[in-house]
Amino acid sequence: MSNTSLDVSVPAAVPVFLGTAALPKKHDPEFKILGAISIAHLANDMMQSLILAVYPLLKHNLNLNFTQIGLITLTYQITASMLQPVVGATTDRAPKPYSLAAGMGFTLVGLLLLSVAHTFALVLLAAATVGIGSSIFHPESSRVARLASGGRYGMAQSLFQVGGNAGSACGPLLAALIVAPFGQGAIAGFSLVALGGIAVLTWVGHWYREHLQGRRGANLHGGSVLPRLSRRHVGIVLAMLFLLVFSKAFYLASLQSYFTFYLIHKFHISVQSAQLYLFAFLFAVAAGTLAGGPIGDRFGRKYVICFSILGVAPFTLLMPHANLLWTGILSVVIGLILASAFSAILVYAQELMPGKVGTIAGLFFGLSFGLGGIGAAVLGTLSDRMGIEFVYRLCAFLPLLGIVAVFLPDRDRLRNPAP
């Protein structure tokens, strides 16, 4: 990137532009709000992960093949991904504080449908409803996390996202302990978690509304404290980030959707044992997410992105050739490293396009969900035709696309350091 493409014309005292309200660059983080939104994210994604966790049960009960399993994931991910950029762009113009609780309500309805779904079509409807809930929840809650960050954007996004990752990790564990022994109908019991989440998000919505009202007199046209790239360079960098999200999302889809089947097929372990291995992987993803944001704040987001995607390649290449013990260990290492990327990618993109917090959050969450869904469908078809082990040998090469991250502009050296 040529230095002539940078326009450093905005003083550091100018507030960071955040959609409809500007905040000072430095203020105390609102940890109560960050904690609440993280807990709500945990509840939301825990319930959503039940769809993935009960795949073996649904496959047995409804006599599904791997292609149909992939279509369930595709349906959920596409409804989540297609609406998220629309929701994000809409709330950039007019924030909707209580849309957070409404999104959780859709997830509640989807879960109840899943608990009584005895046809493939009804399972798809349940997955689509849960996806709609996700599309409403994520962009606006990501904005809330940024507003409450105190300028520590990576830390705030990591705290927000680790709740979701922890919830995703809990899904398989709860499926093994509750759904597997008591059957598909036990999913309905998680409606209590959804109701608790709605209560928490309603409280967050009150804070958000009052916060916006208190900021109505603020300068709404402040620029970014970051130097800005030309439009052409922004497009190139976004394309590079999309490619990185593609490599991450496809590989994670192989583990989230088919890891239990891979373990059962290759090592002949029980469904419950396989779900425990999936829980260990997803727990590692949560831990990696928590670390990625603060490390990016401290050392630079580009370096986190490079290490988390390209650096995981040796471990993904080893895993298809490992025994059960080392497969479990490698999956944990992969989860820890690979998950640290998303917070850094998201904040990097938000700094690249100031004033588009919701749009960027919706675009990148949506892209991640959509690519995950497409990946699940494609990999499901490949599994039916070529075998589940072939899929893992093929996906092992995806992190090599992380070489693209080396060419990202090092914007972190051009910004004021985070507090």
Side-chain angles (χ1 to χ4, degrees):
M1 295 291 176
S2 171
N3 289 335
T4 60
S5 65
L6 300 177
D7 177 18
V8 187
S9 58
V10 183
V14 177
V16 176
F17 185 49
L18 293 171
T20 61
L23 289 175
K25 171 70 176 172
K26 295 182 181 180
H27 61 91
D28 291 334
E30 297 273 0
F31 284 109
K32 288 183 180 179
I33 298 301
L34 292 174
I37 205 71
S38 182
I39 289 170
H41 201 184
L42 185 152
N44 186 78
D45 285 25
M46 181 192 73
M47 292 182 292
Q48 292 174 359
S49 71
L50 287 172
I51 296 177
L52 301 176
V54 300
Y55 277 174
L57 181 65
L58 293 174
K59 188 176 188 296
H60 177 266
N61 289 350
L62 303 179
N63 195 28
L64 305 179
N65 57 35
F66 283 122
T67 299
Q68 289 173 307
I69 292 293
L71 286 174
I72 296 171
T73 303
L74 177 64
T75 299
Y76 159 67
Q77 304 284 31
I78 289 298
T79 55
S81 64
M82 289 180 65
L83 291 177
Q84 287 203 44
V86 176
V87 172
T90 300
T91 56
D92 275 337
R93 294 190 295 270
K96 308 292 184 186
Y98 297 106
S99 64
L100 297 168
M104 185 70 75
F106 274 94
T107 300
L108 168 62
V109 172
L111 268 188
L112 293 175
L113 282 174
L114 185 63
S115 70
V116 297
H118 297 297
T119 66
F120 181 60
L122 194 54
V123 170
L124 291 180
L125 178 61
T129 305
V130 172
I132 291 171
S134 179
S135 71
I136 296 171
F137 174 80
H138 283 98
E140 197 71 335
S141 55
S142 181
R143 183 201 305 280
V144 169
R146 188 172 178 91
L147 288 173
S149 69
R152 297 168 63 183
Y153 304 125
M155 177 275 296
Q157 287 298 328
S158 283
L159 282 178
F160 165 61
Q161 290 178 34
V162 77
N165 292 137
S168 296
C170 289
L173 182 63
L174 293 172
L177 297 177
I178 298 173
V179 181
F182 298 103
Q184 188 176 340
I187 296 172
F190 292 95
S191 61
L192 295 175
V193 177
L195 292 172
I198 289 171
V200 170
L201 290 173
T202 300
W203 176 74
V204 171
H206 290 326
W207 175 87
Y208 189 11
R209 183 186 62 182
E210 292 172 1
H211 177 84
L212 292 174
Q213 289 174 345
R215 292 284 173 175
R216 279 180 179 168
N219 172 24
L220 301 182
H221 302 287
S224 169
V225 298
L226 299 176
R228 301 186 65 178
L229 301 176
S230 69
R231 224 176 244 188
R232 174 175 170 270
H233 285 163
V234 167
I236 292 171
V237 173
L238 284 177
M240 295 164 71
L241 294 175
F242 290 164
L243 183 61
L244 295 171
V245 172
F246 161 79
S247 67
K248 174 181 178 291
F250 256 64
Y251 189 80
L252 286 179
S254 74
L255 286 171
Q256 291 173 335
S257 294
Y258 301 108
F259 194 41
T260 53
F261 297 110
Y262 174 75
L263 294 172
I264 292 167
H265 170 80
K266 185 171 182 178
F267 301 111
H268 310 290
I269 62 177
S270 69
V271 171
Q272 286 182 301
S273 295
Q275 287 173 333
L276 292 175
Y277 277 91
L278 180 59
F279 166 74
F281 163 73
L282 293 175
F283 185 83
V285 168
T289 299
L290 185 60
I295 292 173
D297 285 339
R298 178 67 180 85
F299 297 105
R301 309 192 206 291
K302 173 181 174 178
Y303 306 112
V304 173
I305 296 169
C306 285
F307 174 72
S308 65
I309 297 181
L310 185 60
V312 83
F315 304 104
T316 63
L317 290 168
L318 280 173
M319 196 172 77
H321 310 286
N323 60 23
L324 178 60
L325 174 62
W326 278 103
T327 295
I329 293 171
L330 288 170
S331 71
V332 169
V333 173
I334 290 166
L336 281 169
I337 298 175
L338 192 58
S340 62
F342 192 74
S343 293
I345 290 173
L346 181 62
V347 176
Y348 188 101
Q350 288 174 335
E351 292 173 342
L352 192 68
M353 298 184 66
K356 301 293 183 181
V357 174
T359 302
I360 289 296
L363 182 62
F364 276 85
F365 276 113
L367 183 69
S368 182
F369 283 133
L371 289 174
I374 294 170
V378 170
L379 297 176
T381 300
L382 276 177
S383 296
D384 283 332
R385 295 182 178 178
M386 306 296 294
I388 193 77
E389 292 188 47
F390 172 81
V391 166
Y392 280 89
R393 289 195 298 270
L394 178 65
C395 289
F397 292 92
L398 284 171
L400 293 176
L401 293 173
I403 191 67
V404 172
V406 175
F407 302 100
L408 290 172
D410 186 6
R411 293 174 59 79
D412 295 288
R413 290 189 178 276
L414 303 175
R415 65 189 288 273
N416 290 332

